[in-house]
Amino acid sequence: MASEIFLALLITTFVVAASAGNFNQDFEITWGDGRAKILNSGELLTLSLDKTSGSGFRSRNEYLFGKIDMQLKLVPGNSAGTVTAYYLSSLGDTHDEIDFEFLGNLSGDPYILHTNVFTQGKGNREQQFYLWFDPTQDFHTYSILWNPQSIIFSVDGTPIREFKNLESKGVSFPKNQPMRIYSSLWNADDWATRGGLVKTDWSQAPFTASYRKFNAQACVWTSSSGSSCSSNNPSSNQAWLKQSLDSTGQARIQWVQKNYMIYNYCTDTKRFPQGLPPECTIA
Ligand SMILES: *[C@@H]1O[C@H](CO)[C@@H](O)[C@H](O)[C@H]1NC(C)=O
């Protein structure tokens, strides 16, 4: 019995993968019938939404820490009511999750980039942003750096949000549940655009979002046994595993938060009459 457990631990290995992705190899379409498509020999993936349903895909691998980049081009024109979600998640009641969600809008009105972090099944950590460009005209890179010190969300290399590891101060941090990458496009016109006031215009359907140039420098989880990435990882000297925000990064986050942030749970005192969540008040 004990030796079986020992063996299970031994064969728990992490492979540090630096993969310039091919959608056929790295992802699988999980729902939506023919509405999700992998094109150009795996270089392009498109999701679409019509009146019947949306569509989605997920990574074949599970990751425990990584620097994950994807280029997205969002639903153009009148995208009101649509939501494109792109996120990392584990499963279960106490799951961890790192979210990007793109809330569509009427033509010419700004998308909202909605972000959230769940730890041990608890979220309620929303921050929302406008973007400094039109995300429907071209592909832009949306990145998640997730290492033992912090989670950093970036857009075209500009950090927009950091969630630090404050476990020493009693705030839980995702570090032992491997996560897959998920994405989906669906109708959420009950809340997405101006809080649900603007509905999806189905005469514009199908709505389509596109993905390309997935790139992951990540620890790939290859067994269901528990372990920790950084201590088992022979390449833990990899720069991304230790990366943190330098002073330029700090300045850019401040620039984004000052000019483009439209909602921050950390300043929503009405919502938290008992006091703001601890990560908001720890200096
Ligand atoms: C849509 O545009 C309106 C008007 O500019 C704006 O208030 C709203 O934040 C925009 N985004 C969403 C997703 O509602």
Side-chain angles (χ1 to χ4, degrees), residues 103-105 109-110 112 130 192-194:
L103 318 185
N105 216 332
D109 281 349
I112 288 176
Y130 287 147
T193 307
R194 298 181 62 192

Side-chain angles (χ1 to χ4, degrees), residues 82 102-106 108-113 128 130 191-196 198 262:
T82 72
F102 301 89
L103 318 185
N105 216 332
L106 295 169
D109 281 349
Y111 262 79
I112 288 176
L113 172 51
Q128 296 185 333
Y130 287 147
W191 61 271
T193 307
R194 298 181 62 192
V198 187
I262 56 168

Side-chain angles (χ1 to χ4, degrees), residues 73-77 79 111 133-140:
K73 187 170 158 186
L74 298 170
V75 175
S79 59
Y111 262 79
F133 52 83
D134 177 351
T136 72
Q137 287 297 303
D138 289 299
F139 284 92
H140 290 271

Side-chain angles (χ1 to χ4, degrees), residues 179-193:
M179 302 202 246
R180 276 184 217 276
I181 303 164
Y182 294 86
S183 188
S184 51
L185 172 58
W186 82 91
N187 177 47
D189 67 1
D190 53 330
W191 61 271
T193 307

